[in-house]
Each structure stands twice: as C-alpha cells, then as structure tokens.
C-alpha cells in the first residue's frame, strides 16, 4: 500500500468535509500501530475479553469423508460469535484516543453491528447502527441484541435495503456529525485508511493460524475464506502472504450468473469507484450500481475491498464463487458431521471446497470459519420452505 492505494485501487473518493476526519484517523492509526501501550491494551482486550487466541480445529469426520485434511480457524468461538470483534475493539480504542464520544456503524448480517454495540457498551460510547430493512428483517435476532446492548438501530428503507444502503446512510451521517463521531467501518473497504485499519486489526487471525502450523512443522497447501467486503479473508491471508501457500477467496455466486442473481464482483464486475474507493464493483449498463443477491446477508454487496482487487490482479490470490444451494449444503454438512453450525458467509467457502473435493484430495486445507450460524437459522428455514430438518 502506497499513499492510500493498493496499486491502482483504494484512495479517498469522499466529500471534502470528511477529509479532516480521515486524516485524523490516519495519523492516529499509524501512531497506534507503533505504540507499545496501545498494542498491549488491544491484546489484553483480545485475550481477556474477546477470547483469543482461537483454536485451529482438525475436522476429522469431514476429512475422512472427502479425502482431504480440513482445518478450521474457529473465529466463531469469539465473544459475539464472529471475527468482527477484533476490528471493533481496535477501532473503539482508536476512537477513544481521538476523543470521539459517538460511534456509527453499518451492518449487513448483523455480526458487525452486534460487535460494535458490544465495544460501545464496554467503553461507554454512544452507538447508532444503520441496517437495511431487508437485512434487519432477516437478521431480527441480531437487531434485538444490538438494542439490548444499548445501541440505536436505524433501519434504512431505501434502494435495495441491504448493506450498500446502510453504508451510504452511515457516510451521510458522518458528513453531518464528523466533529464528535467516528465511523466504525466493518470491512476492509471504503476510503483510505479504513482498508488498512481493518486488515491490521484482523491480521491477528493469520498470525495465530500460522503459529499453529509452524509449531506442527508444515504449512497448509491452501488457505480459503469467503469474501464479502473482505475482512475475514484479508485477516487470515495476511498470515501467509509471504509463503507459497495458495490463497483462495470465495464470493457469493447466488442463484445464477444472471444480473441481479449473484454478487461475483471479480469475474462479473468491472473497475469503478464505489463508497469511497476504487475497486471492482458490479455495475449496470448505465453505470449505476447493479442489484446483487446472496442467501447470506454478509456477502450481499456489490463492491469489494481494494486490497483484494490488487491481490486479484497480481494473481497472489485466486477468487472463485459458490452458489446459494452449495452454501446451504455446506451449512448442513458441517453441522451434521462436526457438530458446528457455521455462518452462511463461511458456508460459501466450505461449499466451494465440497463442490471441488476431488481437486483437493489429500491436500491440507485451512478454512477461516468467520462466524457462527445461529443468526442464519431463519434464512435457512425460509430457503428450505419452512423447515430446518
């Protein structure tokens, strides 16, 4: 990353009123990265509050069934049930350092919203979460959790009523309240320095995973993670970027390749500017943002983080996709063979592996299990026509 860009991707394509806040965040972030006191405080909350380090689990039953060795990085075991808590604790500490009293955030699947509300309760910060109406309805339990934690949940009833509209509402709020408010962005996207901030706080995932494999004497052949905005994938990829381990990101293939029925940004999208940065984005013929679809609320997003765009063009990471039906299959396959109910986001990475199991025969695969799936039960019930059995 140089001057806010990963190659040609990234930048700060925002209203002029936000530039002082972005510059303030950049100064404080790079100061904190090299501040032993800040890092010690962050690690203390990670270990004593969030529940780090998370284990790497060898999925013996599935490995035997499919003929490969599958290892799961268990971010689903963290407090609030997902990797999102790493970033929200880190950014909340930055907000305190900057003297901010109010936090705003966007959420799709609700996991980032719950993690943000949790961090705000912990540090006594005012909290408002923006959520698309469609996402709020399909993630009702997470809305209730956010409100119980003291956050105000503002439902966005515009556009597609999903994550992209929640992000737009957050940016609009930030422009109006930039003096006392920090926008706690939840994924490795948006204007500089957010992609760097989020990937830094999530890089703890990759460091821990690499330490596990190095202690056993051999790195995995593949590291695989789902990619919505891209925070959990960047987090685990960071631990293996300087190795020969093959890295694979899995996008939401939705129902089909038809426009509006998937969220495949790399092979079906094009380069463009969206919500503050230059990256790959799915556009309509007239240049407007196209509607997208995924059974997972966390992957239902037309853009992707700029570092992923750079890694795609440089061929360091290979990007594939998984259809809704294969993700649902994987959701049940992990639950019934290993006793772990995965988030639908992570189920896309799992579904890609199961779909291509012959390719991975006898290989060692590390998958980042980014969150737990109890939040998704109502979506799965609806998908299957009213029954979870």
């Amino acid at each position: 990353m140089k001057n806010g860009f990963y190659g040609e991707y990234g930048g700060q394509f925002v209203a002029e009123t936000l530039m002082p806040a972005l510059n303030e965040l950049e100064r404080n972030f790079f100061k904190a990265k090299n501040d032993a006191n800040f890092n010690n405080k962050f690690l203390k909350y990670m270990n004593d509050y969030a529940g780090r380090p998370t284990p790497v689990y060898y999925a013996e039953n599935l490995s035997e069934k499919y003929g490969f060795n599958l290892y799961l990085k268990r971010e689903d075991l963290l407090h609030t049930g997902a990797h999102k808590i790493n970033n929200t604790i880190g950014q909340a500490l930055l907000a305190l350092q900057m003297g901010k009293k109010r936090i705003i955030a966007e959420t799709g699947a609700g996991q980032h919203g719950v993690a943000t509300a949790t961090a705000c309760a912990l540090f006594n910060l005012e909290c408002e979460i923006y959520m698309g109406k469609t996402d709020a309805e399909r993630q009702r339990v997470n809305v209730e959790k956010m409100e119980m934690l003291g956050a105000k949940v503002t439902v966005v009833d515009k556009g597609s009523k999903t994550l992209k509209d929640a992000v737009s509402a957050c940016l609009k709020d930030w422009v109006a309240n930039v003096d006392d408010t920090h926008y706690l962005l939840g994924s490795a996207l948006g204007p500089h320095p957010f992609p760097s901030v989020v990937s830094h706080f999530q890089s703890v995932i990759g460091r821990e995973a690499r330490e596990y494999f190095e202690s056993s004497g051999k790195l995995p052949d593949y590291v695989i993670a789902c990619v919505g905005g891209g925070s959990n994938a960047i987090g685990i990829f960071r631990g293996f970027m300087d190795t020969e381990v093959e890295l694979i990101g899995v996008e939401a293939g939705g129902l089909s390749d038809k426009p509006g029925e998937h969220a495949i940004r790399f092979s079906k999208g094009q380069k463009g500017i969206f919500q503050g940065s230059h990256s790959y984005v799915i556009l309509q013929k007239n240049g407007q943002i196209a509607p997208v679809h995924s059974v997972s609320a966390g992957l239902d997003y037309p853009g992707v983080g700029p570092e992923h765009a750079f890694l795609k063009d440089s061929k360091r990471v290979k990007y594939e996709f998984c259809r809704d039906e294969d993700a649902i299959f994987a959701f049940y396959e992990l639950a019934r063979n290993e006793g772990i109910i995965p988030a639908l986001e992570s189920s896309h990475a799992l579904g890609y592996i199961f779909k291509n199991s012959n390719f991975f025969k006898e290989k060692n695969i590390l998958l980042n299990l980014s969150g737990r799936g109890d939040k998704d039960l109502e979506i799965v019930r609806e998908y299957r026509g009213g029954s979870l059995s």
Side-chain angles (χ1 to χ4, degrees), residues 174-384:
W174 203 25
V175 168
N177 301 288
V178 68
D179 289 339
D180 70 342
T181 298
H182 173 63
Y183 177 11
L184 205 163
L185 208 154
S187 196
L189 45 77
H192 173 73
F194 280 113
S196 300
V197 171
V198 177
S199 62
H200 172 72
F201 289 128
Q202 296 294 2
S203 65
V204 63
I205 305 171
R207 283 201 307 276
E208 288 178 4
R210 180 156 176 178
E211 287 171 5
Y212 170 86
F213 281 95
E214 286 184 335
S215 69
S216 65
K218 185 178 181 182
L219 295 178
D221 298 301
Y222 296 90
V223 174
I224 302 176
C226 63
V227 180
S231 65
N232 89 93
I234 282 294
I236 197 160
F237 290 168
R238 280 288 177 94
F240 300 90
M241 214 72 86
D242 62 339
T243 72
E244 294 184 354
V245 173
E246 295 194 41
L247 309 177
I248 300 177
V250 182
E251 299 182 279
L255 301 170
S256 76
D257 285 350
K258 292 180 182 177
E261 293 192 351
H262 64 82
I264 309 171
R265 289 72 48 93
F266 287 123
S267 60
K268 305 298 179 187
Q270 55 193 292
K271 297 173 184 178
I273 294 171
F274 178 53
Q275 293 183 330
S277 68
H278 182 234
S279 185
Y280 280 80
V281 61
I282 301 177
L283 300 172
Q284 301 182 73
K285 290 181 180 178
N286 61 6
Q288 295 296 309
I289 301 300
V292 294
H293 163 81
S294 171
V295 71
S296 166
L299 303 184
D300 191 1
Y301 186 69
V304 65
E307 189 172 0
H308 283 288
F310 173 75
L311 292 170
K312 184 262 184 189
D313 283 8
S314 65
K315 302 185 187 306
R316 178 62 189 95
V317 179
K318 182 180 178 183
Y319 292 89
E320 302 285 355
F321 64 83
C322 172
R323 301 288 189 202
D324 285 353
E325 60 180 325
D326 296 322
I328 294 291
F329 170 81
F331 181 87
Y332 278 91
E333 195 71 347
L334 187 65
R336 292 178 174 173
N337 286 278
E338 299 290 347
I340 301 169
I341 300 175
L344 280 177
E345 289 84 353
S346 308
S347 299
H348 282 70
L350 280 166
Y352 168 76
I353 295 170
F354 296 145
K355 184 90 172 180
N356 298 280
S357 58
N358 287 335
F359 176 80
F360 292 112
K361 287 288 185 190
E362 299 183 1
K363 299 296 185 183
N364 296 312
I365 309 163
L366 171 63
L367 181 139
N368 193 28
L369 194 62
S370 60
R372 68 183 187 221
D374 51 331
K375 68 181 179 60
D376 294 319
L377 295 184
E378 289 307 313
I379 295 175
V380 176
R381 187 197 306 277
E382 182 179 351
Y383 181 90
R384 291 167 62 92

Side-chain angles (χ1 to χ4, degrees), residues 36-52:
N37 289 331
F38 182 93
N39 289 322
N40 288 337
K41 187 182 294 185
F42 174 67
L43 289 174
K44 178 177 171 54
Y45 280 108
M46 286 293 96
N47 296 339
D48 297 349
Y49 184 76
R52 304 210 73 88

Side-chain angles (χ1 to χ4, degrees), residues 1-316:
M1 195 268 292
K2 186 176 181 181
N3 298 325
F5 283 87
Y6 299 88
E8 64 178 287
Y9 305 106
Q12 294 176 313
F13 300 91
V14 296
E16 189 64 29
T17 51
L18 290 181
M19 289 305 298
L22 291 173
N23 292 336
E24 180 186 27
L25 177 59
E26 182 182 30
R27 286 195 305 274
N28 279 273
F29 168 60
F30 285 105
K31 178 182 176 183
K33 274 184 71 176
N34 300 311
D35 183 337
N37 289 331
F38 182 93
N39 289 322
N40 288 337
K41 187 182 294 185
F42 174 67
L43 289 174
K44 178 177 171 54
Y45 280 108
M46 286 293 96
N47 296 339
D48 297 349
Y49 184 76
R52 304 210 73 88
T54 59
V56 174
Y57 168 70
Y58 177 62
E60 184 174 357
N61 296 331
L62 285 170
S63 296
E64 183 176 346
K65 181 175 181 178
Y66 286 95
F68 46 56
N69 294 311
L70 177 63
Y71 297 84
L72 305 175
K73 180 58 172 163
R74 296 292 307 277
E75 293 297 287
D76 60 309
L77 295 179
L78 285 170
H79 181 43
T80 72
H83 71 293
K84 295 293 187 182
I85 194 73
N86 306 325
N87 173 52
T88 60
I89 293 289
Q91 284 202 50
L93 290 173
L94 282 178
L96 291 173
Q97 183 171 290
M98 292 186 290
K100 305 293 184 182
K101 305 293 185 186
R102 179 174 179 261
I103 298 291
I104 57 173
E106 84 299 327
T107 192
Q111 289 173 312
H112 174 58
V114 172
T116 300
T118 298
C120 289
L122 177 65
F123 298 122
N124 194 27
L125 291 162
E126 182 184 348
C127 181
E128 183 167 358
I129 307 291
Y130 288 90
M131 195 169 190
K133 184 179 179 183
T134 299
D135 290 339
E137 289 174 350
R138 58 183 176 175
Q139 300 288 352
R140 180 180 53 81
V141 172
N142 275 339
V143 173
E144 292 173 346
K145 286 181 181 177
M146 286 181 255
E147 291 174 338
M148 195 175 74
L149 288 160
K152 176 185 177 183
V153 179
T154 298
V155 175
V156 181
D157 191 9
K158 294 180 178 177
S160 61
K161 304 171 187 177
T162 57
L163 180 59
K164 80 174 180 62
D165 306 293
V167 174
S168 296
C170 244
L171 286 169
K172 186 176 180 181
D173 181 315
W174 203 25
V175 168
N177 301 288
V178 68
D179 289 339
D180 70 342
T181 298
H182 173 63
Y183 177 11
L184 205 163
L185 208 154
S187 196
L189 45 77
H192 173 73
F194 280 113
S196 300
V197 171
V198 177
S199 62
H200 172 72
F201 289 128
Q202 296 294 2
S203 65
V204 63
I205 305 171
R207 283 201 307 276
E208 288 178 4
R210 180 156 176 178
E211 287 171 5
Y212 170 86
F213 281 95
E214 286 184 335
S215 69
S216 65
K218 185 178 181 182
L219 295 178
D221 298 301
Y222 296 90
V223 174
I224 302 176
C226 63
V227 180
S231 65
N232 89 93
I234 282 294
I236 197 160
F237 290 168
R238 280 288 177 94
F240 300 90
M241 214 72 86
D242 62 339
T243 72
E244 294 184 354
V245 173
E246 295 194 41
L247 309 177
I248 300 177
V250 182
E251 299 182 279
L255 301 170
S256 76
D257 285 350
K258 292 180 182 177
E261 293 192 351
H262 64 82
I264 309 171
R265 289 72 48 93
F266 287 123
S267 60
K268 305 298 179 187
Q270 55 193 292
K271 297 173 184 178
I273 294 171
F274 178 53
Q275 293 183 330
S277 68
H278 182 234
S279 185
Y280 280 80
V281 61
I282 301 177
L283 300 172
Q284 301 182 73
K285 290 181 180 178
N286 61 6
Q288 295 296 309
I289 301 300
V292 294
H293 163 81
S294 171
V295 71
S296 166
L299 303 184
D300 191 1
Y301 186 69
V304 65
E307 189 172 0
H308 283 288
F310 173 75
L311 292 170
K312 184 262 184 189
D313 283 8
S314 65
K315 302 185 187 306
R316 178 62 189 95

